[in-house]
Amino acid sequence: MKRIIINADDFGYSRAVNYGIIDAHTKGLLTSTTLMTNMPAAEHAFRLGHEHKSLGIGVHLTLTCGRPLLDTHHTLVDANGDFKSNSNYRGKFHIDPDELYAEWKAQIEKFLDSGLVPTHLDSHHHVNNLAPVLPVFKRLADEYGLPVRNNFEAAAREFTTTDFFQYEPDILLADTEKILGTFGEAGTVEIMCHPAYIDKALLAGSTYVMPRLEELDALTDARIIRKIAEDSRFQLITYGDLSKGV
């Protein structure tokens, strides 16, 4: 049996993103999401999280979108006080690890202050993979005792995580045998996705917009739901189930 977590990144990005994620869960296959606690729609996401207890919610640690929660940074922000863009981290760069630790800890603590219990940690744009960033990410995952996304070397040896990480949700469109073949011997799998409706905030702030509608459509398609949810070879779970060994 393949135990599958279908996780939506970017909860809290905007109200339209939030509503898309909730519909993908209540009307479709989505089991999990990760929340950007620094973004304008984070409070809206917290409220929705309390209303939908069956949705697993983790923390989407953010370094490349919006503004930081703390205003004491120098190496993490641009001249306007916003996080630097993702392109800043494609070449040589400098980050003060103490600044990053303080900011990401503040993001986790804001999540905890909402009254929600985080199921796991991952990061926006996979920045946790960056060499100067990964030690901070691992330190916080260990400190809070949280599972992590399996997107860096040694993740499975050091933390609770899935056996396999699928970057693109298009695999759900494939026939069952291809899905099983793609996952191979893995018993647990995370499929990452970005379902959303579209609003001005998303259009203005993201370069990944229209595909989110397609992902939402696929996750709520009755044929795909039957293929995954009604096949005894698949079991839909959350990171909370994974950490409990369910």
Side-chain angles (χ1 to χ4, degrees), residues 69-133:
L69 295 181
L70 305 180
D71 60 4
T72 56
H73 304 313
H74 302 289
T75 65
L76 308 183
V77 296
D78 62 18
N80 295 319
D82 297 318
F83 279 131
K84 297 172 184 176
S85 69
N86 191 34
S87 62
N88 179 76
Y89 300 103
R90 293 175 185 165
K92 185 177 180 180
F93 64 91
H94 169 68
I95 279 182
D96 183 324
D98 292 333
E99 285 188 17
L100 181 61
Y101 172 80
E103 173 61 30
W104 276 4
K105 186 176 180 68
Q107 292 180 20
I108 296 170
E109 289 295 323
K110 182 176 178 180
F111 188 104
L112 293 171
D113 287 345
S114 75
L116 295 173
V117 178
T119 55
H120 65 294
L121 292 180
D122 60 25
S123 66
H124 193 54
H125 292 145
H126 306 288
V127 292
N128 65 289
N129 275 305
L130 300 172
V133 174

Coordinates of all heavy atoms in Angstrom, one line a residue, residues 69-133:
L69 N 8.8 38.8 9.8 CA 8.0 39.1 11.0 C 8.8 40.0 11.9 O 8.3 40.9 12.6 CB 7.6 37.9 11.8 CG 6.7 36.9 11.1 CD1 6.4 35.7 12.0 CD2 5.4 37.6 10.7
L70 N 10.2 39.9 11.9 CA 11.1 40.7 12.7 C 11.6 41.8 11.9 O 11.9 41.6 10.7 CB 12.2 39.8 13.3 CG 11.7 38.6 14.1 CD1 13.0 37.8 14.6 CD2 10.8 39.0 15.3
D71 N 11.9 42.9 12.5 CA 12.4 44.1 11.8 C 13.9 44.4 12.1 O 14.3 45.5 11.9 CB 11.5 45.3 12.0 CG 11.5 45.7 13.5 OD1 12.2 45.1 14.3 OD2 10.8 46.7 13.8
T72 N 14.6 43.4 12.6 CA 16.0 43.6 13.0 C 17.0 43.0 12.0 O 18.2 43.0 12.3 CB 16.2 43.0 14.4 OG1 15.9 41.7 14.4 CG2 15.4 43.8 15.4
H73 N 16.5 42.6 10.8 CA 17.4 41.9 9.9 C 18.2 42.8 9.0 O 17.8 43.9 8.7 CB 16.6 41.0 9.0 CG 15.8 40.0 9.8 ND1 16.3 39.2 10.8 CD2 14.5 39.6 9.6 CE1 15.3 38.4 11.3 NE2 14.2 38.7 10.6
H74 N 19.4 42.4 8.6 CA 20.2 43.1 7.6 C 20.5 42.3 6.4 O 20.5 42.7 5.3 CB 21.5 43.6 8.3 CG 21.2 44.5 9.5 ND1 20.8 45.8 9.4 CD2 21.4 44.3 10.8 CE1 20.6 46.3 10.6 NE2 21.0 45.4 11.5
T75 N 20.8 41.0 6.6 CA 21.2 40.1 5.5 C 20.1 39.4 4.8 O 20.2 38.8 3.8 CB 22.2 39.0 6.0 OG1 21.5 38.1 6.9 CG2 23.4 39.7 6.7
L76 N 18.8 39.5 5.4 CA 17.7 38.8 4.8 C 16.8 39.6 3.9 O 15.9 39.1 3.2 CB 16.8 38.1 5.9 CG 17.5 37.3 7.0 CD1 16.5 36.7 7.9 CD2 18.4 36.2 6.3
V77 N 17.0 41.0 4.0 CA 16.0 41.9 3.4 C 16.7 42.8 2.4 O 17.9 43.0 2.4 CB 15.3 42.7 4.5 CG1 14.5 41.8 5.4 CG2 16.3 43.5 5.3
D78 N 15.9 43.4 1.5 CA 16.3 44.5 0.6 C 16.2 45.8 1.3 O 15.9 46.0 2.4 CB 15.6 44.4 -0.7 CG 14.1 44.6 -0.6 OD1 13.6 45.2 0.4 OD2 13.4 44.3 -1.5
A79 N 16.5 46.9 0.5 CA 16.4 48.2 1.0 C 15.1 48.6 1.5 O 15.0 49.6 2.4 CB 16.9 49.2 0.0
N80 N 14.0 48.0 1.0 CA 12.7 48.3 1.5 C 12.2 47.5 2.7 O 11.1 47.7 3.2 CB 11.7 48.1 0.3 CG 11.9 49.0 -0.8 OD1 12.1 50.2 -0.6 ND2 11.8 48.5 -2.0
G81 N 13.1 46.6 3.2 CA 12.7 45.8 4.3 C 11.9 44.5 3.9 O 11.5 43.8 4.8
D82 N 11.8 44.3 2.6 CA 11.2 43.0 2.1 C 12.2 41.9 2.0 O 13.4 42.2 1.8 CB 10.5 43.3 0.8 CG 9.4 44.3 0.8 OD1 8.6 44.3 1.8 OD2 9.4 45.1 -0.1
F83 N 11.7 40.7 2.1 CA 12.6 39.6 1.8 C 13.2 39.7 0.4 O 12.5 40.2 -0.5 CB 11.9 38.2 1.9 CG 11.7 37.7 3.3 CD1 10.5 37.2 3.8 CD2 12.8 37.6 4.2 CE1 10.4 36.7 5.0 CE2 12.7 37.1 5.4 CZ 11.4 36.6 5.9
K84 N 14.4 39.3 0.2 CA 15.0 39.3 -1.1 C 14.3 38.3 -2.0 O 13.8 37.3 -1.5 CB 16.5 39.1 -1.0 CG 17.2 40.1 -0.3 CD 18.7 39.8 -0.1 CE 19.4 40.8 0.8 NZ 20.8 40.5 1.1
S85 N 14.3 38.5 -3.3 CA 13.7 37.5 -4.2 C 14.4 36.2 -4.3 O 15.6 36.1 -3.9 CB 13.5 38.1 -5.6 OG 14.8 38.2 -6.2
N86 N 13.8 35.2 -4.8 CA 14.4 33.9 -5.0 C 15.7 34.0 -5.8 O 16.6 33.2 -5.6 CB 13.4 33.0 -5.6 CG 13.8 31.5 -5.6 OD1 14.5 31.1 -4.7 ND2 13.4 30.8 -6.7
S87 N 15.7 34.9 -6.8 CA 16.9 35.0 -7.7 C 18.1 35.4 -6.9 O 19.2 35.1 -7.4 CB 16.6 36.0 -8.8 OG 16.3 37.3 -8.3
N88 N 18.0 36.0 -5.8 CA 19.1 36.4 -5.0 C 19.9 35.2 -4.5 O 21.1 35.3 -4.3 CB 18.7 37.2 -3.8 CG 19.8 37.7 -2.9 OD1 20.5 38.6 -3.2 ND2 20.0 37.0 -1.8
Y89 N 19.3 34.1 -4.4 CA 19.9 32.9 -3.9 C 20.4 31.9 -4.9 O 20.7 30.7 -4.6 CB 19.0 32.2 -2.9 CG 18.7 33.2 -1.8 CD1 17.4 33.8 -1.7 CD2 19.6 33.5 -0.8 CE1 17.1 34.7 -0.7 CE2 19.3 34.4 0.3 CZ 18.0 35.0 0.3 OH 17.7 35.9 1.3
R90 N 20.5 32.4 -6.2 CA 20.9 31.5 -7.3 C 22.4 31.6 -7.5 O 23.0 30.8 -8.3 CB 20.2 31.8 -8.6 CG 18.7 31.5 -8.5 CD 17.9 31.9 -9.7 NE 16.5 31.7 -9.5 CZ 15.5 32.2 -10.3 NH1 15.9 33.0 -11.3 NH2 14.3 31.9 -10.0
G91 N 23.1 32.5 -6.9 CA 24.5 32.7 -7.0 C 25.1 32.8 -5.6 O 24.6 32.2 -4.6
K92 N 26.2 33.5 -5.5 CA 26.9 33.7 -4.2 C 26.1 34.7 -3.4 O 25.6 35.7 -3.9 CB 28.3 34.2 -4.5 CG 29.1 34.3 -3.2 CD 30.5 34.8 -3.5 CE 31.3 34.9 -2.2 NZ 32.7 35.4 -2.5
F93 N 25.9 34.4 -2.1 CA 25.1 35.2 -1.2 C 25.6 35.0 0.2 O 26.3 34.0 0.5 CB 23.6 35.0 -1.4 CG 23.2 33.6 -0.9 CD1 22.8 33.4 0.4 CD2 23.2 32.5 -1.8 CE1 22.5 32.1 0.9 CE2 22.8 31.2 -1.3 CZ 22.5 31.0 0.0
H94 N 25.2 35.9 1.0 CA 25.5 35.8 2.5 C 24.3 36.0 3.3 O 23.4 36.8 3.0 CB 26.5 37.0 2.9 CG 26.7 37.1 4.4 ND1 27.3 36.1 5.1 CD2 26.3 38.0 5.2 CE1 27.3 36.4 6.4 NE2 26.7 37.6 6.5
I95 N 24.1 35.1 4.3 CA 23.1 35.1 5.2 C 23.7 35.0 6.6 O 24.5 34.1 6.8 CB 22.0 34.0 5.0 CG1 21.1 34.4 3.9 CG2 21.3 33.6 6.2 CD1 20.0 33.3 3.6
D96 N 23.2 35.8 7.5 CA 23.6 35.6 8.9 C 22.7 34.5 9.5 O 21.5 34.7 9.6 CB 23.4 36.9 9.7 CG 23.8 36.9 11.2 OD1 23.7 35.8 11.8 OD2 24.3 37.9 11.7
P97 N 23.3 33.4 9.9 CA 22.5 32.3 10.4 C 21.7 32.6 11.7 O 20.6 32.1 11.9 CB 23.5 31.2 10.6 CG 24.8 31.8 10.8 CD 24.7 33.1 9.9
D98 N 22.2 33.5 12.5 CA 21.5 33.9 13.7 C 20.2 34.7 13.3 O 19.2 34.6 13.9 CB 22.3 34.7 14.6 CG 23.5 33.9 15.2 OD1 23.3 32.7 15.4 OD2 24.5 34.5 15.5
E99 N 20.3 35.6 12.3 CA 19.1 36.3 11.8 C 18.1 35.3 11.3 O 16.9 35.5 11.5 CB 19.5 37.3 10.7 CG 20.2 38.5 11.2 CD 20.4 39.6 10.1 OE1 19.7 39.4 9.0 OE2 21.3 40.5 10.2
L100 N 18.5 34.4 10.5 CA 17.6 33.4 9.9 C 17.0 32.6 10.9 O 15.7 32.3 10.9 CB 18.4 32.5 8.9 CG 17.5 31.5 8.2 CD1 16.4 32.1 7.3 CD2 18.4 30.6 7.3
Y101 N 17.7 32.1 11.9 CA 17.2 31.3 13.0 C 16.1 32.1 13.7 O 15.0 31.6 14.0 CB 18.3 30.9 14.0 CG 17.8 30.2 15.2 CD1 17.4 28.9 15.2 CD2 17.6 30.9 16.4 CE1 16.9 28.3 16.3 CE2 17.1 30.3 17.5 CZ 16.7 29.0 17.5 OH 16.2 28.4 18.6
A102 N 16.4 33.4 14.1 CA 15.4 34.2 14.8 C 14.2 34.4 14.0 O 13.1 34.3 14.6 CB 16.1 35.5 15.2
E103 N 14.3 34.7 12.7 CA 13.1 34.9 11.9 C 12.3 33.6 11.7 O 11.0 33.7 11.9 CB 13.6 35.4 10.5 CG 12.4 35.5 9.5 CD 11.3 36.5 9.9 OE1 11.6 37.5 10.6 OE2 10.2 36.3 9.5
W104 N 12.9 32.6 11.4 CA 12.1 31.3 11.2 C 11.5 30.8 12.5 O 10.4 30.3 12.5 CB 13.0 30.3 10.6 CG 13.0 30.4 9.1 CD1 12.4 31.4 8.3 CD2 13.6 29.6 8.1 NE1 12.7 31.3 7.0 CE2 13.4 30.1 6.8 CE3 14.4 28.4 8.2 CZ2 13.8 29.5 5.7 CZ3 14.8 27.8 7.1 CH2 14.6 28.3 5.8
K105 N 12.2 31.0 13.6 CA 11.7 30.7 14.9 C 10.4 31.5 15.2 O 9.4 31.0 15.7 CB 12.7 30.9 16.0 CG 12.2 30.4 17.4 CD 13.3 30.5 18.5 CE 12.8 30.0 19.8 NZ 12.5 28.6 19.8
A106 N 10.5 32.8 14.8 CA 9.3 33.7 15.0 C 8.2 33.3 14.1 O 7.0 33.3 14.6 CB 9.7 35.2 14.7
Q107 N 8.5 32.8 12.9 CA 7.4 32.3 12.1 C 6.7 31.0 12.7 O 5.5 30.9 12.6 CB 7.9 32.0 10.7 CG 8.4 33.2 9.9 CD 8.9 32.9 8.5 OE1 8.7 31.9 7.9 NE2 9.6 33.9 8.0
I108 N 7.5 30.1 13.3 CA 7.0 29.0 13.9 C 6.2 29.4 15.1 O 5.1 28.8 15.4 CB 8.1 28.0 14.3 CG1 8.8 27.4 13.0 CG2 7.5 26.8 15.1 CD1 10.0 26.6 13.3
E109 N 6.7 30.3 15.9 CA 6.0 30.7 17.1 C 4.7 31.4 16.8 O 3.7 31.2 17.6 CB 6.9 31.6 18.0 CG 8.1 30.9 18.6 CD 7.6 29.9 19.7 OE1 6.6 30.1 20.4 OE2 8.3 28.8 19.8
K110 N 4.6 32.1 15.7 CA 3.4 32.8 15.4 C 2.3 31.7 15.0 O 1.2 31.8 15.4 CB 3.6 33.7 14.2 CG 2.3 34.4 13.8 CD 2.5 35.4 12.7 CE 1.2 36.1 12.2 NZ 1.4 37.1 11.1
F111 N 2.8 30.6 14.4 CA 1.9 29.5 14.1 C 1.3 28.9 15.4 O 0.1 28.7 15.6 CB 2.6 28.5 13.3 CG 1.7 27.3 12.8 CD1 1.4 27.3 11.4 CD2 1.3 26.3 13.6 CE1 0.6 26.2 11.0 CE2 0.5 25.3 13.2 CZ 0.1 25.3 11.8
L112 N 2.2 28.7 16.3 CA 1.8 28.1 17.6 C 0.9 29.0 18.4 O 0.0 28.6 19.0 CB 3.1 27.8 18.4 CG 4.0 26.7 17.9 CD1 5.3 26.6 18.7 CD2 3.3 25.3 17.9
D113 N 1.1 30.3 18.3 CA 0.3 31.3 19.0 C -1.2 31.3 18.4 O -2.1 31.7 19.1 CB 0.8 32.7 18.8 CG 2.1 32.9 19.7 OD1 2.3 32.1 20.6 OD2 2.8 33.9 19.4
S114 N -1.3 30.8 17.2 CA -2.7 30.7 16.6 C -3.5 29.6 17.3 O -4.7 29.6 17.1 CB -2.6 30.4 15.1 OG -2.3 29.0 14.9
G115 N -2.9 28.7 18.0 CA -3.6 27.6 18.6 C -3.6 26.4 17.8 O -4.1 25.3 18.2
L116 N -3.1 26.4 16.6 CA -3.0 25.3 15.7 C -1.7 24.5 16.1 O -0.7 25.1 16.6 CB -2.9 25.7 14.3 CG -4.1 26.3 13.6 CD1 -3.8 26.8 12.2 CD2 -5.3 25.4 13.7
V117 N -1.7 23.2 15.8 CA -0.5 22.4 16.1 C 0.1 22.0 14.8 O -0.5 21.3 14.0 CB -0.9 21.1 16.9 CG1 0.3 20.2 17.1 CG2 -1.6 21.5 18.2
P118 N 1.4 22.4 14.5 CA 2.0 22.1 13.2 C 2.2 20.6 13.0 O 2.7 20.0 14.0 CB 3.3 22.9 13.3 CG 3.6 23.1 14.7 CD 2.3 23.1 15.4
T119 N 2.0 20.2 11.8 CA 2.3 18.8 11.5 C 3.7 18.5 11.0 O 4.2 17.4 11.2 CB 1.3 18.2 10.5 OG1 1.4 19.1 9.3 CG2 -0.1 18.2 11.0
H120 N 4.3 19.6 10.4 CA 5.6 19.4 9.8 C 6.2 20.7 9.4 O 5.5 21.8 9.5 CB 5.6 18.4 8.6 CG 4.8 18.9 7.5 ND1 3.4 19.1 7.5 CD2 5.2 19.2 6.2 CE1 3.0 19.5 6.3 NE2 4.1 19.6 5.5
L121 N 7.4 20.7 8.9 CA 8.1 21.9 8.4 C 8.5 21.7 6.9 O 9.0 20.6 6.6 CB 9.4 22.2 9.2 CG 9.3 22.7 10.6 CD1 10.7 22.9 11.1 CD2 8.4 23.9 10.7
D122 N 8.3 22.7 6.1 CA 9.0 22.8 4.8 C 9.3 24.2 4.5 O 9.2 25.1 5.5 CB 8.2 22.1 3.7 CG 6.9 22.7 3.4 OD1 6.7 23.9 3.8 OD2 6.0 22.1 2.9
S123 N 9.8 24.6 3.3 CA 10.1 26.0 3.1 C 9.7 26.4 1.7 O 9.6 25.6 0.8 CB 11.7 26.1 3.2 OG 12.3 25.4 2.2
H124 N 9.4 27.7 1.6 CA 9.0 28.3 0.3 C 10.2 28.3 -0.6 O 11.3 28.7 -0.3 CB 8.5 29.7 0.6 CG 7.8 30.4 -0.5 ND1 6.7 29.8 -1.1 CD2 8.0 31.6 -1.2 CE1 6.2 30.6 -2.1 NE2 7.0 31.7 -2.1
H125 N 9.9 27.9 -1.9 CA 11.0 27.8 -2.9 C 12.1 26.8 -2.5 O 13.2 26.9 -3.1 CB 11.6 29.2 -3.2 CG 10.6 30.2 -3.9 ND1 10.6 31.5 -3.6 CD2 9.6 30.0 -4.7 CE1 9.7 32.1 -4.3 NE2 9.1 31.2 -5.0
H126 N 11.8 25.9 -1.6 CA 12.8 24.9 -1.2 C 14.1 25.5 -0.8 O 15.2 24.9 -0.9 CB 13.0 23.9 -2.4 CG 11.8 23.3 -2.9 ND1 11.1 22.4 -2.2 CD2 11.1 23.5 -4.1 CE1 10.0 22.0 -2.9 NE2 10.0 22.7 -4.0
V127 N 14.1 26.7 -0.1 CA 15.3 27.4 0.3 C 16.0 26.6 1.4 O 17.2 26.8 1.6 CB 15.1 28.8 0.7 CG1 14.7 29.7 -0.5 CG2 14.1 28.9 1.8
N128 N 15.3 25.7 2.0 CA 16.0 24.9 3.1 C 17.1 24.1 2.5 O 18.0 23.6 3.2 CB 15.0 24.0 3.8 CG 14.4 22.9 2.9 OD1 13.6 23.2 2.1 ND2 14.8 21.7 3.1
N129 N 17.1 23.8 1.2 CA 18.2 23.1 0.5 C 19.5 23.8 0.4 O 20.6 23.2 0.2 CB 17.7 22.7 -0.9 CG 16.9 21.4 -0.9 OD1 17.4 20.4 -0.4 ND2 15.7 21.5 -1.5
L130 N 19.5 25.1 0.5 CA 20.7 25.9 0.3 C 21.7 25.7 1.5 O 21.3 25.6 2.6 CB 20.3 27.4 0.3 CG 19.4 27.8 -0.8 CD1 18.9 29.3 -0.7 CD2 20.0 27.6 -2.2
A131 N 22.9 25.6 1.1 CA 24.0 25.1 2.1 C 24.0 26.0 3.3 O 24.1 25.4 4.4 CB 25.3 25.1 1.4
P132 N 23.9 27.3 3.2 CA 24.0 28.1 4.5 C 22.6 28.1 5.3 O 22.6 28.4 6.4 CB 24.2 29.6 4.0 CG 24.7 29.4 2.6 CD 24.0 28.2 2.1
V133 N 21.6 27.6 4.6 CA 20.2 27.6 5.2 C 19.9 26.3 5.9 O 19.3 26.3 7.0 CB 19.2 28.0 4.1 CG1 17.8 27.8 4.7 CG2 19.4 29.4 3.6

